[in-house]
Each structure stands twice: as C-alpha cells, then as structure tokens.
Amino acid sequence: MWRRDTMRKSKRKGRTETVRLELCDLCAATFAESGAVRGYVPHSSSASSTNDWFDGLRRITTCGAEHFTVIKALYEQRPFVQEELWAAKITQALTASPPVLSITELASRTGLHEPEIERAIAWHNERRSPRRMT
C-alpha cells in the first residue's frame, strides 16, 4: 500500500527513464508502479480522512493478481466490528483537529450519534492493554 519514494532508473533504447516503485502489501517486494494490482477490502479499523464513503475500506496494493487474491482472503476472515470503525472515526477527529470540547462537537465532527460514540469508547476501553493503564 505504501508507495516508495525511491525510484530506480532503467535504460531503454538508449535513454534513461524514471520508474516509480510500489511495495507489495503481502510480500513486501518492490516493483514498478505500472504492475500494481490494487483494490479495497473491508476493514473496520480504516477511516478515511478525505471521504466518508471509504470508511471501513482499506486499500491494498500487491505485486500481482495471486498476491491480491491471498491478501483479500486474509482480510475477509477478519470480522468487521462497527464499534472499531466508530473508534477509528473518533480517533481521527481527535487527532486531526483542534480539541473537542463536548460530545455534541465530537458527534458533529464524526457524523456519529451519542450512543455510537459511547459504544465506540466502551469497545476501545475493553481492548486497552493493561500495561497502558498503569
């Protein structure tokens, strides 16, 4: 999924061209961007910072169709937890903007209702590491 900033140069017909590299989400191999296989998989921890339509979808990039099929199957085995998505939206709102002063303001920023915010916070708190609580 992460595009590498590094570029490699290849010589073709006596000229040098720059090739953007991609990184396979499955095997971590680097390959030319033009050979990427991309798509979206359901993932409840993924909240989009630019478009709510992409909330709950994670973009994957692989070096070929076989790796895409493998990684898609892995993601499909993971349960989709609505509270996890809501928690991701809350985290995004709390880290990308000025501090939130009230539940009403948080609801406005996330598009969630108060009961959803409460369920997301409870879900998050249930999963906190005991080491972090000390």
Side-chain angles (χ1 to χ4, degrees), residues 2-134:
W2 303 103
R3 184 184 359 228
R4 305 245 331 187
D5 291 332
T6 347
M7 298 182 188
R8 68 174 179 223
K9 301 209 180 229
S10 65
K11 290 188 177 183
R12 199 178 227 189
K13 296 184 183 180
R15 66 174 189 235
T16 302
E17 66 181 37
T18 301
V19 177
R20 275 195 183 276
L21 298 180
E22 286 282 357
L23 183 65
C24 180
D25 288 343
L26 185 66
C27 70
T30 55
F31 56 94
E33 179 182 44
S34 61
V37 177
R38 295 183 182 91
Y40 290 90
V41 293
H43 199 280
S44 53
S45 73
S46 183
S48 173
S49 60
T50 57
N51 189 338
D52 289 346
W53 192 88
F54 290 103
D55 286 348
L57 296 173
R58 182 171 305 276
R59 185 174 187 213
I60 58 174
T61 301
T62 61
C63 58
E66 287 181 27
H67 280 194
F68 185 86
T69 301
V70 170
I71 202 165
K72 183 178 177 193
L74 290 171
Y75 275 98
E76 287 172 350
Q77 292 174 7
R78 186 183 191 278
F80 192 95
V81 180
Q82 194 65 48
E83 289 81 2
E84 182 178 28
L85 176 60
W86 296 336
K89 290 175 72 76
I90 291 167
T91 298
Q92 187 176 67
L94 293 175
T95 58
S97 305
V100 174
L101 302 176
S102 68
I103 291 286
T104 304
E105 189 176 348
L106 184 58
S108 174
R109 288 190 193 177
T110 61
L112 300 173
H113 299 285
E114 189 172 336
E116 295 167 334
I117 293 170
E118 290 169 356
R119 284 175 51 192
I121 292 169
W123 179 90
H124 176 267
N125 289 343
E126 286 174 8
R127 280 143 191 83
R128 286 185 62 185
S129 168
R131 285 179 267 150
R132 289 185 182 171
M133 297 175 104
T134 58

